[in-house]
């Protein structure tokens, strides 16, 4: 009996391996629809570290899921490797059977934990085949355990043993089919193979060496105008979509989805899967884009927008990166949204709402609001703020950004200048030589507009002598610090929260000695300071440094909810059931502080714009200025 069972296992192993390879070849042919991409094969060597360390950081935010996955996946991989040795290579060693029994028990435990979680599945999880996957994994683990146990026990079990052997083989075949057929047919276990390859050939490989949140420039001279069809994506971007496990963490984090706008980032990724697989994968069994039908109609050869995807879905995105931050498979939703937008803007000229007006203003005036550049620093007329001349020198160059045209935000800018002067900081501005940084143009898909503004700003800044740039606008900060380098601009850029933190730490800001304690408040993390640039601590240290206790919102720091402005969403203004800033004001209200500190002109405008009773919105610099001696 043991002899024939061992050979049956060898046959089953090689049949599974052949099916897996055939499926992989079919899937690879789908990825090959995409453009070539420059990838390093060394990524394959880096895969274990990316899997065990980088992904684990994200998955471990849900400890129970992480434990279940480690047991089920770790046990499963060990079973496959041991089976390859013992049955694939026909070693038939008893000690390998013992190890197989142990690993099967571990996998069984992990699959059991997964199944228990599925019984109380949060609504963000997809159903369908995903719902039955833990049961199939249990079958596979139990089949492995029985088969290896029988082989180890030897032939003395007689007829009963033969019966168990048949049952074990059936279980292995049924459970193993999930993996062997999954990659080819687009079943859930597709994620195991695609996920590992995605880690090896990630479109942002630099992400594994540190923060990477900059959008990559298009080569406009070479005719790159964004993504219209599946074939316009790079092949490793198509691969990345197949890594999705439909966990819905992106869905749960997305402010646009919560507001009832027609965007569900999980569905967006599955739309891309459907587009590339030409509808050959099983039907999607998760939540739809709000207000839209769940089913997609895939018409080969057509543009993605208009067939698989509605344009409003793309324009609903605030580019807040909450989805990217939470995705356990490290999928980059924002890159996909912006690449698809680029086609709509650059090729079709279709930008909704006031988005096209904003882009026209940028073309005509170099400001988003259509203001003359000469009035950018009118708010500082009485502040003795030097306007730097070419050839002159300053230590700090202040870029006020587009908030300089907003009367409410001008109060914050005046407070900042007052504080810097009190601290003895040598600061100057560019005056009317300052243009918009290009953030809105880039996020709205106008890559040509962004590159024009960025190159003009880089050329302008080259005429002046300064040591550092400081700005209160996280979008200006992000563009200059992270996106200008690709176009040749290298600057030492600070967000004002960092400079204020630095000055307070050095006791350079003269504060009132006997100030009465200030009431606590909460802090709203700007996406482009926090998630984009890890700027979580500096603003909190500033508040602490001036004696204010911060009561964090439930959604704060890495999990902060966007104010709704980013990505040009304030201009495209896609309707939903609620407004994102209203939801953020609810988050603020829950803290009971009645006051919120902000560190971005756009967050200031969005939260100040909430209609009805709301918390006081106070800029970081204003709070420091209030404490000046
Ligand atoms: S970037 Fe933000 S708004 Fe856009 S899909 Fe992701 S979570 Fe939603
Ligand atoms: S894209 Fe990422 S976070 Fe969203 S469902 Fe897929 S795996 Fe989960």
């Amino acid at each position: 009996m043991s002899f024939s069972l061992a050979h049956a296992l060898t046959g089953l192993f090689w049949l599974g391996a052949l099916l897996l390879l055939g499926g992989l070849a079919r899937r690879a042919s789908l990825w090959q629809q995409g453009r070539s991409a420059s990838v390093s094969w060394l990524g394959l060597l880096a895969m274990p570290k990316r899997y065990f360390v980088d992904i684990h950081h994200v998955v471990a935010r849900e400890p129970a899921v992480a434990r279940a996955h480690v047991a089920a996946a770790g046990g499963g991989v060990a079973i496959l490797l041991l089976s390859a040795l013992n049955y694939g290579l026909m070693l038939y060693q008893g000690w390998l059977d013992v190890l197989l029994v142990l690993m099967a028990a571990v996998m069984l435990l992990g699959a059991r934990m997964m199944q228990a979680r599925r019984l109380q599945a949060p609504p963000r999880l997809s159903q369908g085949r995903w719902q039955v996957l833990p049961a199939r994994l249990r079958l596979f683990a139990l089949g492995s355990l029985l088969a290896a146990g029988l082989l180890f026990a030897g032939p003395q079990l007689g007829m009963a043993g033969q019966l168990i052997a048949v049952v074990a083989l059936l279980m292995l075949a049924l459970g193993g089919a999930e993996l062997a057929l999954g990659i080819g047919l687009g079943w859930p276990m597709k994620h195991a193979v695609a996920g590992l390859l995605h880690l090896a050939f990630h479109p942002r490989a630099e992400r594994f060496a540190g923060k990477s949140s900059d959008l990559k420039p298009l080569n406009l001279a070479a005719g790159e105008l964004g993504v219209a069809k599946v074939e316009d994506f790079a092949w490793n971007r198509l691969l990345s979509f197949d890594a999705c496990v439909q966990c819905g963490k992106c869905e749960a984090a997305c402010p646009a989805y919560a507001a009832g706008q027609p965007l569900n980032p999980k569905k967006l990724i599955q739309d891309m899967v459907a587009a590339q697989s030409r509808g050959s994968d099983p039907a999607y069994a998760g939540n739809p884009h709000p207000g839209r039908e769940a089913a997609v109609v895939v018409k080969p050869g057509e543009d993605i927008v208009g067939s698989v995807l509605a344009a409003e879905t793309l324009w609903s995105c605030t580019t807040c990166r909450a989805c990217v931050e939470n995705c356990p498979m490290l999928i980059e939703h924002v890159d996909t949204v912006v690449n698809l937008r680029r086609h709509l803007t650059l090729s079709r000229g279709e930008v909704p709402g006031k988005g096209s007006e904003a882009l026209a203003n940028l073309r005509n005036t170099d400001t988003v609001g259509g203001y003359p550049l000469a009035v950018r620093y009118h708010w500082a007329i009485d502040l003795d703020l030097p306007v730097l001349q070419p050839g002159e020198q300053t230590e700090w160059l202040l870029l006020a950004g587009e908030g300089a045209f907003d009367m409410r935000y001008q109060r914050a800018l005046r407070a900042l200048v007052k504080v810097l002067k009190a601290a003895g900081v040598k600061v100057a501005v560019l005056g009317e030589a300052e243009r918009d940084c290009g953030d809105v143009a880039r996020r709205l898909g106008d890559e040509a507009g962004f590159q024009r503004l960025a190159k003009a700003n880089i050329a302008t800044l080259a005429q002046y002598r300064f040591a550092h740039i400081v700005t209160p606008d996280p979008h200006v900060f992000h563009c200059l610090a992270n996106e200008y380098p690709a176009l040749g601009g290298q600057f030492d850029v600070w967000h004002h929260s960092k400079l204020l933190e630095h000055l307070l730490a050095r006791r350079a800001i003269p504060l009132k000695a006997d100030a009465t304690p200030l009431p606590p408040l909460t802090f709203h993390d700007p996406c482009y300071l926090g998630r984009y640039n890890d700027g979580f601590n500096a603003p909190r240290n500033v508040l602490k440094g001036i004696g204010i206790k911060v009561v964090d919102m439930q959604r704060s720091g890495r999990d902060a909810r966007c104010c709704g402005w980013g990505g040009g969403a304030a201009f495209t203004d896609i309707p939903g059931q609620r407004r994102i800033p209203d939801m953020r004001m609810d988050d603020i209200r829950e803290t009971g502080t009645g006051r919120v500190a902000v560190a971005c002109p756009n967050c200031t405008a969005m939260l100040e714009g909430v209609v009805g009773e709301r918390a006081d919105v106070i800029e970081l610099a204003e709070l420091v200025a209030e404490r000046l001696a």
Side-chain angles (χ1 to χ4, degrees):
M1 180 274 292
S2 62
F3 181 79
S4 59
L5 173 59
H7 282 85
L9 287 170
T10 298
L12 203 56
F13 175 83
W14 285 114
L15 177 66
L18 279 177
L19 288 171
L20 183 70
L21 283 175
L24 183 58
R26 181 189 176 275
R27 209 74 207 174
S29 73
L30 298 177
W31 303 330
Q32 275 178 338
Q33 296 171 93
R35 286 187 294 106
S36 62
S38 103
V39 293
S40 167
W41 291 97
L42 291 177
L44 285 170
L45 296 179
M47 205 162 62
K49 182 251 172 192
R50 293 175 182 178
Y51 180 73
F52 287 113
V53 180
D54 299 303
I55 274 198
H56 191 73
H57 284 323
V58 186
V59 180
R61 291 180 202 158
E62 263 191 307
V65 177
R67 280 194 292 272
H69 192 262
V70 164
V77 169
I79 289 173
L80 291 178
L81 292 176
L82 290 168
S83 298
L85 270 181
N86 208 22
Y87 312 134
L89 300 182
M90 301 171 79
L91 299 182
Y92 306 137
Q93 294 292 312
W95 64 274
L96 285 173
D97 288 326
V98 174
L99 282 180
L100 268 161
V101 168
L102 287 175
M103 288 303 107
V106 171
M107 184 182 179
L108 204 54
L109 180 70
R112 175 75 193 89
M113 288 156 77
M114 282 180 165
Q115 201 168 18
R117 180 165 170 271
R118 278 276 161 188
L119 293 176
Q120 298 171 330
R124 63 179 164 80
L125 290 179
S126 289
Q127 302 288 311
R129 287 198 81 92
W130 287 95
Q131 194 66 8
V132 295
L133 179 63
R136 298 283 162 85
L137 295 180
R138 284 180 79 186
L139 268 186
F140 178 75
L142 198 54
S144 301
L145 193 146
L146 289 175
L150 278 176
L151 283 175
F152 184 72
Q156 63 270 24
L157 293 179
M159 269 302 287
Q162 291 202 17
L163 257 178
I164 297 172
V166 172
V167 172
L169 285 171
L170 277 174
M171 285 177 155
L172 274 172
L174 276 175
E178 279 298 319
L179 179 62
L181 300 176
I183 181 80
L185 299 179
W187 293 353
M189 284 306 289
K190 170 186 71 174
H191 85 273
V193 182
L196 287 174
L197 292 174
H198 167 54
L199 286 182
F201 304 118
H202 198 283
R204 279 180 181 270
E206 75 277 9
R207 181 175 170 167
F208 300 106
K211 200 80 191 167
S212 166
S213 54
D214 57 310
L215 292 173
K216 308 298 179 203
L218 287 182
N219 186 346
L220 297 165
E224 288 181 6
L225 295 172
V227 168
K229 303 177 195 304
V230 164
E231 302 82 60
D232 298 326
F233 280 116
W235 71 267
N236 54 344
R237 186 75 65 183
L238 295 178
L239 161 64
S240 77
F241 301 141
D242 270 345
C244 175
V245 292
Q246 300 196 33
C247 65
K249 287 187 179 171
C250 53
E251 172 184 310
C254 179
Y257 180 77
Q261 291 174 266
L263 165 62
N264 176 345
K266 176 173 85 171
K267 178 68 165 63
L268 173 81
I269 298 304
Q270 289 309 307
D271 288 343
M272 298 304 103
V273 172
Q276 66 170 301
S277 60
R278 306 290 191 226
S280 62
D281 282 12
Y284 172 72
N287 292 323
H289 298 298
R292 310 266 165 194
E293 291 298 317
V296 291
V297 181
V298 184
K299 297 173 187 163
E302 281 194 2
D303 282 4
I304 291 171
V305 177
S307 59
V308 182
L309 204 63
E312 289 73 26
T313 294
L314 297 175
W315 296 117
S316 296
C317 177
T318 69
T319 67
C320 72
R321 280 183 77 83
C323 48
V324 180
E325 189 74 37
N326 281 285
C327 177
M329 302 308 284
L330 311 187
I331 295 169
E332 299 274 346
H333 308 65
V334 176
D335 289 352
T336 300
V337 165
V338 173
N339 273 325
L340 288 160
R341 281 184 182 184
R342 283 168 166 173
H343 166 69
L344 293 182
T345 303
L346 296 173
S347 295
R348 295 198 201 169
E350 294 171 3
V351 184
K354 290 190 183 300
S356 50
E357 189 181 315
L359 294 180
N361 284 339
L362 283 167
R363 276 194 298 277
N364 297 330
T365 67
D366 288 343
T367 69
V368 173
Y371 299 101
L373 290 176
V375 307
R376 189 186 296 273
Y377 284 93
H378 273 189
W379 52 270
I381 200 115
D382 58 339
L383 293 182
D384 192 23
L385 187 58
V387 176
L388 201 61
Q389 301 302 319
E392 285 182 0
Q393 189 167 359
T394 186
E395 186 182 2
W396 289 91
L397 180 67
L398 169 66
L399 296 184
E402 298 301 280
F405 300 113
D406 179 86
M407 290 186 70
R408 159 67 187 89
Y409 200 71
Q410 287 169 0
R411 291 211 305 274
L413 289 167
R414 288 178 65 87
L416 177 61
V417 172
K418 203 172 148 191
V419 171
L420 295 182
K421 281 180 169 285
V425 173
K426 196 178 171 208
V427 61
V429 295
L430 289 181
E432 62 184 276
E434 181 181 334
R435 300 176 194 82
D436 178 84
C437 67
D439 165 75
V440 171
R442 185 165 239 199
R443 306 317 129 178
L444 286 179
D446 183 2
E447 180 67 8
F450 166 75
Q451 290 193 17
R452 181 188 68 80
L453 284 162
K455 285 174 183 167
N457 283 329
I458 292 167
T460 298
L461 288 166
Q463 299 170 30
Y464 299 88
R465 290 163 64 203
F466 53 86
H468 325 279
I469 290 173
V470 61
T471 177
D473 186 331
H475 298 261
V476 175
F477 168 68
H478 175 69
C479 280
L480 267 73
N482 302 319
E483 298 192 339
Y484 279 22
L487 299 172
Q490 299 276 358
F491 308 103
D492 182 36
V493 194
W494 293 41
H495 185 251
H496 75 322
S497 59
K498 188 83 187 155
L499 179 55
L500 293 174
E501 179 197 40
H502 173 75
L503 294 171
L504 282 167
R506 291 173 57 217
R507 299 183 188 282
I509 301 176
L511 298 178
K512 287 176 192 160
D514 59 345
T516 46
L518 290 171
L521 47 61
T522 189
F523 177 68
H524 165 74
D525 292 272
C527 305
Y528 277 74
L529 178 64
R531 269 189 297 270
Y532 272 78
N533 286 292
D534 282 335
F536 302 112
N537 294 333
R540 287 176 173 78
N541 287 340
V542 169
L543 294 167
K544 193 172 159 200
I546 56 173
I548 298 180
K549 180 170 181 274
V550 177
V551 181
D552 269 326
M553 288 173 259
Q554 197 178 1
R555 289 190 62 161
S556 66
R558 225 165 268 292
D559 294 324
R561 197 198 299 270
C562 176
C563 72
W565 190 93
F571 300 100
T572 52
D573 201 18
I574 302 300
Q577 302 298 314
R578 297 199 66 195
R579 292 183 68 244
I580 295 175
D582 292 346
M583 293 190 304
R584 193 54 173 159
M585 193 53 76
D586 285 347
D587 296 341
I588 294 164
R589 266 191 215 102
E590 278 173 16
T591 65
T593 58
R595 304 198 314 157
V596 58
V598 285
C600 168
N602 309 314
C603 302
T604 309
M606 294 304 276
L607 295 175
E608 290 260 5
V610 169
V611 178
E613 202 182 321
R614 62 164 172 78
D616 290 338
V617 180
I618 317 163
E619 220 278 347
L620 206 58
E622 292 171 345
L623 288 160
V624 180
E626 279 175 18
R627 300 294 270 185
L628 282 179

